[in-house]
Amino acid sequence: MNVVLALSEPRAQSLAADLRREGVTVIAIVAPGALDHTARRLGQGVGDDPVAELLGVADALVLDGDRRTLTRPAVDLADRFGVRILPLGRGVALARLCASYGLREPLPADADAEEVVAALAATPALPAAASVIHPVIAVWGPAGAPGRTTVAIEVAAELARGHRRVALVDADAHAPSVAVALGLPVDGPGLAAACRQHDQGGVDAAELERVAIAVDVPDGEVDVLVGINRVARWPELAAPRVTGVLAACRTWADATVVDIAAPLERDEEIVSDVIDGPRRNQAALAVLAGADAVVAVCAADPVGVSRFVAAYDQLHESVGAAPIVVVANRVRSGVIGVDARGQVRSTLERYLGIRDLAFLPDDRRAADRALLLARPVAATSPRSALVQAVRRAVGARLAPWVALHAPHREEAVGAVGW
């Protein structure tokens, strides 16, 4: 058995020596952060990478079980080469993290070589290039229309470049608006029909193809699952249904972008007299719990920033192991003053500890034109400052979750990377 270790020292060297005594071939010890670095390089179209070459001949990967090492890009990288993963560590949080990635329970950090060998033998190998589970990206923002639907549409349009298959799902149970923004029939089958199909034996790619509406974007198209046409229908978006539909989307699309509602209260007290009663916010909570990345949209004005700060803790509690990418939207000096970006950044760092965020300009002319024509801004004003800012944000912060996977469509073979 050929094994690669991605462990911190001195644990890596001691375990490697013990494994060799057990007859295991330890072909390399790599730095824990090297996996994410390799994932980014492959996503950018770099063909030669030493870690990728090692994984190409490895049978298993033993790594530190923490959020810095056990990440979605690292798991996808191992899946790409058919390498089984064995995390080492303790704690309920790590167990949940492993479960979210479909991995076996971790071994204790101090497990001996014999335990590691037994665990590796009991972990089934994946065939290289097995059916890949593609990412789900949730787009959330607090109350007050910070622009989350616009951001969701533009992120989906950007991810679809190179003819990747990208799904855009409107799971907003309070104010669905993707259909109106894109000029689509509000009474189309969409997400509600897919949820009903889930109850009738499961939803598959053929059903998603039937209920989705394709929207042309530059260099590709986005498959849209429109939301409910009346907010009174929110009980149809039950958590198990939404989770089942997103699971089907993971094998159907190269990436799935989900627009969700602002409220994240769990409503236990409101429905305490109903056993297993429906909850208004269950769709948003289910999406956040299973998302691979979350885009949190903050309106870059005093009221928007205040609302974002007040709601962020609730978002953080609702998200599973996914990273949160913060986007300051509609940045302009007129409502904040000089150095609008610096003021937003310093406020979020002071109150939330957020240092890294993306900025989207207030390109009102391009946004108004897109709304007038009911198209994405990327289609109506492809050279606008907003489109360029979304492109930079996606390339820097979301591409690692998407770019590992080859496009589904035949015409996309050989498409350029990010």
Side-chain angles (χ1 to χ4, degrees), residues 145-203:
R148 60 181 170 270
T149 297
T150 298
V151 171
I153 291 171
E154 298 309 316
V155 167
E158 176 60 26
L159 291 175
R161 289 177 62 238
H163 294 277
R164 289 181 176 84
R165 163 158 278 170
V166 174
L168 174 60
V169 180
D170 190 345
D172 190 333
H174 288 260
S177 55
V178 170
V180 174
L182 294 177
L184 304 177
V186 295
D187 56 352
L191 178 59
C195 286
R196 290 193 298 272
Q197 183 62 31
H198 174 266
D199 285 351
Q200 298 172 8
V203 60

Side-chain angles (χ1 to χ4, degrees), residues 149-150 153-154 157 178-184 214-222 366-382 386-387:
T149 297
T150 298
I153 291 171
E154 298 309 316
V178 170
V180 174
L182 294 177
L184 304 177
V215 174
D216 290 334
V217 297
D219 199 23
E221 63 183 30
V222 174
D368 286 352
R369 176 175 171 80
L371 195 58
L372 174 65
L373 300 177
R375 299 285 307 282
V377 178
T380 59
S381 305
L386 175 59
V387 172

Side-chain angles (χ1 to χ4, degrees), residues 14 21 27 61 79 85 99 110 161 214 223 228 276 302 338 343:
S14 63
R21 283 192 287 270
I27 58 177
L61 172 66
D79 288 350
I85 296 176
D110 57 355
R161 289 177 62 238
D223 293 297
I228 52 179
D276 293 330
V338 179
Q343 293 197 53

Side-chain angles (χ1 to χ4, degrees), residues 18-391:
D18 292 342
L19 287 174
R20 291 185 179 111
R21 283 192 287 270
E22 293 289 331
V24 174
T25 302
V26 179
I27 58 177
I29 298 173
V30 302
L35 301 172
D36 271 9
H37 178 69
T38 294
R40 286 193 297 271
R41 282 172 58 84
L42 295 185
Q44 293 165 358
V46 178
D48 297 327
D49 185 274
V51 175
E53 293 177 3
L54 293 171
L55 293 178
V57 296
D59 300 305
L61 172 66
V62 181
L63 48 71
D64 284 328
D66 60 47
R67 290 175 182 263
R68 295 169 300 176
T69 306
L70 187 57
T71 63
R72 169 59 66 184
V75 172
D76 286 347
L77 181 66
D79 288 350
R80 175 174 183 169
F81 291 98
V83 177
R84 69 194 77 177
I85 296 176
L86 177 61
L88 302 183
R90 296 180 183 274
V92 176
L94 174 58
R96 286 202 299 263
L97 182 61
C98 292
S100 71
Y101 292 148
L103 303 177
R104 57 155 290 140
E105 292 185 3
L107 285 184
D110 57 355
D112 59 32
E114 186 175 346
E115 292 174 300
V116 171
V117 172
L120 290 175
T123 304
L126 292 173
S131 73
V132 180
I133 304 301
H134 298 283
V136 169
I137 300 168
V139 180
W140 171 90
R148 60 181 170 270
T149 297
T150 298
V151 171
I153 291 171
E154 298 309 316
V155 167
E158 176 60 26
L159 291 175
R161 289 177 62 238
H163 294 277
R164 289 181 176 84
R165 163 158 278 170
V166 174
L168 174 60
V169 180
D170 190 345
D172 190 333
H174 288 260
S177 55
V178 170
V180 174
L182 294 177
L184 304 177
V186 295
D187 56 352
L191 178 59
C195 286
R196 290 193 298 272
Q197 183 62 31
H198 174 266
D199 285 351
Q200 298 172 8
V203 60
D204 55 16
E207 179 66 15
L208 292 173
E209 199 83 53
R210 184 185 71 82
V211 300
I213 303 174
V215 174
D216 290 334
V217 297
D219 199 23
E221 63 183 30
V222 174
D223 293 297
V224 181
L225 295 180
V226 299
I228 52 179
N229 59 355
R230 298 190 311 277
V231 293
R233 296 177 59 190
W234 63 262
E236 296 181 33
L237 306 185
R241 291 176 167 184
V242 172
T243 301
V245 171
L246 293 183
C249 286
R250 288 181 181 276
T251 59
W252 174 58
D254 293 303
T256 302
V257 179
V258 189
D259 183 14
I260 60 175
L264 299 177
E265 293 82 6
R266 297 186 178 273
D267 299 337
E268 281 87 356
E269 295 181 2
I270 298 175
V271 296
S272 59
D273 57 336
V274 181
I275 299 176
D276 293 330
R279 288 164 169 77
R280 181 70 176 269
N281 305 326
Q282 60 183 325
L285 294 170
V287 173
L288 290 175
D292 299 290
V294 177
V295 176
V297 183
C298 170
D301 59 67
V303 174
V305 172
S306 175
R307 286 171 169 166
F308 186 85
V309 170
Y312 185 79
D313 283 346
Q314 200 166 47
L315 170 69
H316 198 270
E317 293 172 359
S318 303
V319 174
I324 299 175
V325 177
V326 178
V327 173
N329 190 33
R330 296 197 292 261
V331 178
R332 59 201 188 279
S333 60
V335 294
I336 296 181
V338 179
D339 190 18
R341 293 189 178 195
Q343 293 197 53
V344 172
R345 181 185 284 110
S346 63
T347 301
L348 295 184
E349 181 175 359
R350 177 182 179 184
Y351 290 102
L352 301 177
I354 296 172
R355 297 182 178 88
D356 182 32
L357 64 159
F359 294 93
L360 303 182
D362 184 28
D363 195 345
R364 188 62 56 88
R365 177 177 295 181
D368 286 352
R369 176 175 171 80
L371 195 58
L372 174 65
L373 300 177
R375 299 285 307 282
V377 178
T380 59
S381 305
R383 296 175 180 266
S384 73
L386 175 59
V387 172
Q388 300 305 315
V390 169
R391 182 164 301 166

